[in-house]
Amino acid sequence: MNIQSKTNGTVDMRDMAQAIRFLSMDAIVRAQDGHPGTPLGGADIATALFTRHLKFDAAAPEWPDRDRFVHSAGHGSMLLYSLLHLCGYEEMGIDEIRNFRVLGSNTAGHPEYHPSAGIETTTGPLGQGIANAVGMAVAERILNHRFGDDIVDHYTYAYTGDGCLMEGIAAEVIAIAGHLKLGKLVFLWDDNRMTDDGPTDQAVSEDQVVRFENNGWHVQSVDGHDPEAVAAAIAAAKQDDRPSMIACRTFIGYGVPRIQNDRAAHGGKITTEDTDAARENLGWTHAPFELPGDLAQAWHNAGARGASEREAWQARLDALPAADRAEFDRLMRGELPEGWEQVILDAKRRYTESDEAKPGIRASGEMLSALADVIPELISGAPDLEAATQHKRQMRPFTRDDRGGRYIHYGVREHAMGAMMNGMTVHGGIRSVGTTFLVFSDYMRHTLRVAALMRVPGVFVFSHDSIGIGKNGPTHQPVEYLASLRAIPNMWVLRPADAVEMAEAWDLAMRRSDGPVSIICSRQPLDPVRRTQEDENLSARGGYVLAEAEGGARRATLLATGSEVSVALAARDLLQAQRVPTAVVSMPSWELFEAQDAAYRREVLGDGTVRVGVEAAVRLGWDRYVGMEGGFVGMSGFGASGDVADLYRHFGITAERVAEEVTARL
Amino acid sequence: MNIQSKTNGTVDMRDMAQAIRFLSMDAIVRAQDGHPGTPLGGADIATALFTRHLKFDAAAPEWPDRDRFVHSAGHGSMLLYSLLHLCGYEEMGIDEIRNFRVLGSNTAGHPEYHPSAGIETTTGPLGQGIANAVGMAVAERILNHRFGDDIVDHYTYAYTGDGCLMEGIAAEVIAIAGHLKLGKLVFLWDDNRMTDDGPTDQAVSEDQVVRFENNGWHVQSVDGHDPEAVAAAIAAAKQDDRPSMIACRTFIGYGVPRIQNDRAAHGGKITTEDTDAARENLGWTHAPFELPGDLAQAWHNAGARGASEREAWQARLDALPAADRAEFDRLMRGELPEGWEQVILDAKRRYTESDEAKPGIRASGEMLSALADVIPELISGAPDLEAATQHKRQMRPFTRDDRGGRYIHYGVREHAMGAMMNGMTVHGGIRSVGTTFLVFSDYMRHTLRVAALMRVPGVFVFSHDSIGIGKNGPTHQPVEYLASLRAIPNMWVLRPADAVEMAEAWDLAMRRSDGPVSIICSRQPLDPVRRTQEDENLSARGGYVLAEAEGGARRATLLATGSEVSVALAARDLLQAQRVPTAVVSMPSWELFEAQDAAYRREVLGDGTVRVGVEAAVRLGWDRYVGMEGGFVGMSGFGASGDVADLYRHFGITAERVAEEVTARL
């Protein structure tokens, strides 16, 4: 294809798009790394959005009512960085562009959540970005319902390639967005028909237009290299009350003769020879990283375009009744409402006084219900496991007709839930809770990683946590999941031993602001193990002595979590009866325990005593606490289908076995 | 809805379906657990399939050319167990039915792979079954291409509920099946419009008919309680050269007044009151677990219906030229062709003699290519990462027009790949290899679990295994994945240190028949560390002394895997120079190391020496080998975007740091 370049003096969107192309190429060549195809191919689309439609103010990146822009095809990150730089984001100065992919820069290989620099979410793992965008669009409608059009009324745009649309998560969120009729959501599909492996028709036969329409979307198809056409389509999309998808036909690597419309454009290296050829081809005469004044000004104007709108918004916010204003500010700061802690304390008192053996998941559901009463920003969902988890309760659903609902019917779509939760979280103003069986956390696992990487909160409730589910069998019995979740950096894995610890887990989960929390719940009843009333959150130390040794110096230390704490307590009874002074340590969170000082950890772990870990899961990781010579009573393989008591006996997770492991080591 | 029951003496499909319903209910009531909705709702569909179409012989469950039936909605397992029992599968006798969900029975809560009992694959985690079925249909076409219609020519049927279709993996495999035009694949959709949470319209707006058609499927809609209509639709589906979906409108919990067409039918408890009411409602007069003779005979006839066809097939097989016959038998036994080991030995010799620092993924690609030349059943795929992983090479693609291809263009659909690989594996006759980046293993993680649980092979190649990928940044740098894969029971995680160990890893992967293997590959070049030629596979011991201490008794032991083995070797040089006799242990597989005897392990680990682990990943699990007092040099959080050398320095994974960890402990 021969490409026409503009050479007259006026600046139009095509010129502005060229600025993106060359800035991106210069950065990629300098970094000797990066994916050129997207910034070259998508420059016209992005220009149309950023100069005509996107509501933002580069001087105030975190303006709460800004439109959100998600660069879902994260590998093409230079498209985003170029846009942010050209629009004048302070934290995206030219040095950042020059240091693309250099350690310590704001311009990582793939965009990393950094709202003050204009990066709304972390993208790169395909499909995550578009799913985050659907979550953002939900958050917007929820807050709009509470505060009205004057305060919250913005669009969410996601730029997507073919890869995002092929991932399974895409189908999940396209279905949900259409079903919920999220009219302020717009997907811009960079329809370049080329992936790293070659033409998309190697792997795709589906008609995307039909696909989106069949999911209740408004769909348009335009020439993605005609910014006016793209701008007009966005205008039409905004008018429609359905979510919109705009198929923008483009050429990957547009403008660089060697790679244009070639698979090499996706992630292949480009050199100064390529940029020279592109300069020739596109009529660009400027040196690397240089921009003529009129183009720079035009981009700067685009970045400042929203200033007056933002000021008007600020005036409306200032004019709110004081209580509303305070509430909005509280939500934007991510702070919890005053008095919420009382819910925790009340629950702890209630649970301490009760003798009821309560399933972990039921206690968790009670905490969610009680907290939801006082934390209006708490939004919940449990993909088709509402009955099994009892995590819906009094909440009415968020639907296309009722934006005041606070329970999301995700359908059987765990991956969508996780990514939408992340989207709601980074949008701001929402505390998101998602509940499913622990085995299905695999389906949404990558969303947990991204939350941890972004250092944002999120409460993930995982139930049916062991062979304790019984007859549903090994497909539904998680034996490796505690280890695999503990492996995720910055994830807190909390496995409460009883309802009191469950209340403490929710306390911790609500307080956490710099990373996600997984609350691991049993299906089976948990014997109450915490019998003394105390306001202090003992679980906050990660591990603590639940029952100290009696009748002499401690000789054995039993370390356990969740439902196995009561097994350890029973083993302690056996050992004490044998005159072996034995302590039981409950370890609801390894991560929090690791954060304690060495002296505390040594004291709790009982230096020099015989140590045995008890957990109905694989041993991986336990050696850190029991030592190479310590014992472990748990699972060494997958579970089985059968009665719960039969299974615990069959797999040898019994008090007798724990006691034997101790005595064999005395 | 009032339900008509047949009361005249003849046996038709409706009567036969009633037998499924009552047998299933009786078993569920007896187990006091189980999901009644599916066997009640799907009985007519299943009867039509099993009595009119499915090609099988209950007396020979593993007949290679049988049609495959996948019960994807695995929670409704009693539907499958009832069918198998009624048809006369020896391993599914009445005691198995009576012991539904009892420990040790063949009738686990969810179906578990057990081909001699008629269970073709493990299902329950939604979406896995239909995806397995797509893999089976691919396997069938590949083997049909090799052996012709006389020997391999069968259909694959998958019974799916709404849940399977909502999962993202469904979109991935529906797209692939349509794209590949797998005409011998039939989905029977139990369209009951009800899930555990309630009516599907709470979460689904998409028209499934349009959806499948848009993916190139042949689609029909029938009354799922009219077995004749279902049978006719199956006949039409078989005639069409596209994959077929038959939407069978049903009522969940059909026949039990309290739960019919109610969410309670999905997984709720039923009692003898319910079965009494159903007996009344459906006119069933027989005692629990009892069946009138004519119905029993009719079902037995259905189970024996395929005997003559199987005998004819056997005659055709026997008439094959001896070499073809031997080859077919070899494939069915899952044995590798003679002489394949020479490929490994040759590669080891070549790599040992070379000084080239070769990226792990390139060495793996070379092994795949060399093995593919001698192992014709080896089928490969690398979802849109063909260039980055070089795991396609000489193979031509398997397409709708060329069933002789051996490379599958999965598109950007990792989850589909994993589940299709499992489907190909349990089909038999295929050795399946799937390659992607290690971070994307999260997207297909559950398929690894299912392979491990089924104890079936599968070679999963995961590349770009650490911060060693450099500039693509933390979204693409797996730090927690070695731990999370090692947590899966029965998974071998192999992380070769150089090309020689890579050849050994492939040797192990090819030999393994009772579980999956993950081969973990670096993107960056690996210095050759194995410099002496030996035919023995040292990696088979999981860990071995690569470089023994010199100049005295060993005082320090450095344990490392993959790219960090060369860091450990450099640290050893520093320590030896300080007169600290230091050994380096390469530990390509913890699982294989654990299988060695205690004496060997003690010797390798160097009892009493200072131990330091080195791995560019999180510490979780390493304490087992280095002990509580040992050192670890690796990652404690996520990575960063930057130059590889900068990153290793930044995160302190250096020879100097390893040496310091040792000297601090001497």
Side-chain angles (χ1 to χ4, degrees), chain A residues 329-615:
Chain A
D329 287 348
R330 178 184 74 77
L331 289 175
M332 292 304 111
R333 286 194 307 271
E335 288 173 7
L336 293 171
E338 270 182 48
W340 73 273
E341 305 95 330
Q342 197 56 45
V343 171
I344 305 288
L345 296 176
D346 290 348
K348 281 181 67 173
R349 196 159 298 129
R350 208 166 54 245
Y351 290 144
T352 309
E353 288 164 3
S354 163
D355 289 329
E356 186 188 353
K358 200 184 280 282
I361 188 61
R362 193 145 69 79
S364 178
E366 289 174 5
M367 293 310 304
L368 172 71
S369 290
L371 289 165
D373 284 342
V374 296
I375 304 175
E377 64 269 31
L378 203 156
I379 302 297
S380 176
D384 210 45
L385 291 173
E386 192 186 300
T389 65
Q390 301 185 33
H391 270 62
K392 182 181 179 185
R393 301 301 183 85
Q394 83 285 13
M395 292 184 181
R396 69 177 202 265
F398 173 88
T399 68
R400 56 167 63 194
D401 300 316
D402 181 4
R403 303 308 200 188
R406 291 168 58 195
Y407 179 88
I408 297 174
H409 279 294
Y410 288 105
V412 189
R413 303 182 184 108
E414 299 83 5
H415 203 173
M417 176 174 76
M420 285 174 62
M421 287 172 65
N422 287 341
M424 287 183 239
T425 301
V426 299
H427 179 279
I430 303 287
R431 301 284 299 206
S432 191
V433 178
T435 304
T436 188
F437 288 170
L438 183 51
V439 281
F440 299 141
S441 69
D442 266 359
Y443 279 28
M444 56 186 286
R445 183 171 165 85
H446 209 78
T447 67
L448 305 175
R449 173 176 221 260
V450 176
L453 177 59
M454 292 200 289
R455 304 189 69 78
V456 299
V459 181
F460 300 95
V461 180
F462 295 126
S463 179
H464 292 51
D465 70 349
S466 73
I467 55 167
I469 69 160
K471 298 175 185 172
N472 273 322
T475 56
H476 285 56
Q477 290 165 353
V479 295
E480 73 274 36
Y481 288 69
L482 293 170
S484 66
L485 291 176
R486 287 169 180 152
I488 301 175
N490 196 36
M491 167 64 79
W492 286 2
V493 181
L494 307 177
R495 187 170 188 240
D498 70 359
V500 176
E501 280 196 4
M502 183 61 75
E504 293 183 341
W506 274 91
D507 182 50
L508 292 163
M510 288 291 102
R511 288 179 197 278
R512 187 161 203 218
S513 63
D514 63 352
V517 174
S518 294
I519 301 180
I520 311 295
C521 306
S522 73
R523 176 199 200 185
Q524 74 272 30
L526 297 172
D527 292 327
V529 298
R530 280 273 289 281
R531 310 309 292 152
T532 56
Q533 174 64 41
E534 55 228 313
D535 285 351
E536 188 193 342
N537 186 330
L538 299 185
S539 301
R541 305 202 81 166
Y544 62 92
V545 178
L546 175 67
E548 192 43 281
E550 289 172 4
R554 193 202 294 186
R555 294 183 63 201
T557 306
L558 308 179
L559 308 159
T561 74
S563 45
E564 284 68 67
V565 169
S566 58
V567 177
L569 287 169
R572 177 179 175 275
D573 289 345
L574 296 176
L575 289 161
Q576 288 282 159
Q578 297 168 38
R579 300 183 196 285
V580 181
T582 301
V584 169
V585 172
S586 180
M587 292 195 75
S589 165
W590 291 9
E591 301 78 21
L592 293 172
F593 186 69
E594 289 293 324
Q596 306 304 308
D597 64 45
Y600 177 80
R601 281 183 283 138
R602 259 198 310 274
E603 184 196 324
V604 169
L605 295 179
D607 242 11
T609 65
V610 167
R611 282 180 285 217
V612 175
V614 195
E615 187 169 73

Side-chain angles (χ1 to χ4, degrees), chain B residues 373-419:
Chain B
D373 284 343
V374 297
I375 303 175
E377 64 269 33
L378 202 156
I379 302 297
S380 176
D384 210 46
L385 290 173
E386 191 186 302
T389 65
Q390 301 185 33
H391 271 62
K392 182 182 180 183
R393 301 302 183 85
Q394 82 284 12
M395 290 182 182
R396 69 178 200 265
F398 172 89
T399 67
R400 57 166 64 193
D401 301 316
D402 181 4
R403 304 308 200 186
R406 292 169 55 197
Y407 179 88
I408 296 173
H409 279 292
Y410 288 104
V412 189
R413 305 182 184 108
E414 298 84 4
H415 203 173
M417 176 174 76

Side-chain angles (χ1 to χ4, degrees), chain B residues 117-132:
Chain B
I119 305 173
E120 302 284 6
T121 187
T122 292
T123 53
L126 293 176
Q128 297 295 326
I130 52 174
N132 291 166

Side-chain angles (χ1 to χ4, degrees), chain B residues 521-601:
Chain B
C521 307
S522 73
R523 176 199 200 183
Q524 74 272 30
L526 297 172
D527 292 329
V529 300
R530 281 274 290 282
R531 310 308 292 150
T532 56
Q533 174 63 42
E534 56 228 311
D535 285 351
E536 188 193 343
N537 185 331
L538 300 185
S539 301
R541 305 202 79 167
Y544 62 93
V545 178
L546 175 67
E548 192 42 281
E550 290 172 3
R554 193 203 295 187
R555 294 184 62 202
T557 307
L558 308 179
L559 308 158
T561 75
S563 46
E564 284 68 65
V565 170
S566 59
V567 176
L569 287 169
R572 177 178 175 275
D573 289 345
L574 296 176
L575 289 161
Q576 288 282 159
Q578 296 168 39
R579 297 181 200 286
V580 180
T582 301
V584 170
V585 172
S586 180
M587 292 195 74
S589 165
W590 290 9
E591 301 78 21
L592 293 172
F593 186 67
E594 289 292 326
Q596 305 306 306
D597 63 47
Y600 176 80
R601 282 183 283 139

Side-chain angles (χ1 to χ4, degrees), chain A residues 642-658:
Chain A
D643 177 75
V644 179
D646 289 350
L647 292 176
Y648 271 84
R649 266 194 306 274
H650 177 73
F651 291 110
I653 306 177
T654 60
E656 292 72 23
R657 172 77 189 289
V658 174

